[in-house]
Amino acid sequence: MSVKHNAHVIAARLMARGPAVAAAVEAELDVQAQLVARRMREEAPKFQTVLTGSIHVEKPAPTERLVAPGTDYAQAVHDGVKPGKGLPRFFDPESVDIVRWLESKVRGPAKRARRGSARFSAQELELRDRYQGLSWHVRHHGTEANPFVDRTHEAMAASVVAGLKAAVARALNPDGDGWRAA
């Protein structure tokens, strides 16, 4: 008695389709990475679209894609800021984004006053006072986390895996007829 099998034939067929599988996986990774980047842009905070515009896809290796924001403050937005450290000084160049955000929230005349006027000085003092109050609040209470990357991962993990499985299946069986003799 003996057992007959065709494992060697199936193994040879799989080895022959290896380059096709690698190419299909790479192409599907490109598509899925762009879909993940799109979703991350939807989940990210939208003020002035700096953070959303910085989200990009990198290709560190043929079978790897990295979708990440490119701003310095993305980590602080995602994780929040713990109490203990305030904001940079009001006139510091690092505070420009925060000052712009605060200006958009301050109610006042729609038209800015002429530089050097008493009204301009009053507006500038009010903005500085609000900025110092915000800095005090951040120093004592921190900022709330906005985990947009985690939300993107939860929403997209299943569809990325399904897309990659489908790409591998298409590459292994291009005719869709099941395994046939070569």
Side-chain angles (χ1 to χ4, degrees):
M1 296 196 92
S2 67
V3 177
K4 291 185 178 183
H5 63 82
N6 66 347
H8 61 286
V9 175
I10 292 175
R13 288 183 194 161
L14 285 174
M15 293 300 286
R17 295 191 191 246
V21 170
V25 166
E26 228 179 300
E28 186 65 23
L29 276 174
D30 289 334
V31 170
Q32 293 296 326
Q34 290 301 326
L35 292 173
V36 169
R38 180 187 305 165
R39 180 61 182 251
M40 193 179 292
R41 287 184 193 107
E42 291 172 2
E43 294 289 340
K46 304 286 189 294
F47 179 73
Q48 291 186 341
T49 67
V50 175
L51 180 61
T52 56
S54 73
I55 295 172
H56 62 284
V57 177
E58 295 176 9
K59 184 178 177 180
T63 57
E64 291 180 27
R65 299 298 179 273
L66 175 67
V67 181
T71 59
D72 295 335
Y73 63 89
Q75 188 75 33
V77 170
H78 185 270
D79 297 336
V81 176
K82 292 182 180 180
K85 186 175 181 192
L87 301 174
R89 300 272 181 198
F90 181 71
F91 290 109
D92 191 343
E94 292 179 3
S95 69
V96 170
D97 288 333
I98 301 167
V99 170
R100 284 186 188 153
W101 175 81
L102 194 59
E103 281 177 333
S104 73
K105 303 298 178 197
V106 172
R107 287 185 172 80
K111 188 176 178 183
R112 292 278 298 170
R114 188 172 29 102
R115 187 176 281 281
S117 68
R119 195 168 123 224
F120 178 84
S121 296
Q123 286 176 346
E124 198 69 18
L125 283 173
E126 180 187 1
L127 183 63
R128 190 196 67 201
D129 290 344
R130 289 179 184 254
Y131 183 86
Q132 288 176 343
L134 178 63
S135 181
W136 181 92
H137 184 80
V138 169
R139 185 171 49 252
H140 288 86
H141 300 286
T143 60
E144 186 177 335
N146 185 351
F148 62 97
V149 176
D150 291 344
R151 288 193 306 266
T152 303
H153 177 266
E154 290 169 6
M156 297 296 295
S159 64
V160 169
V161 170
L164 290 173
K165 283 182 179 179
V168 169
R170 284 190 307 270
L172 287 175
N173 193 8
D175 301 331
D177 296 335
W179 292 101
R180 290 187 291 152

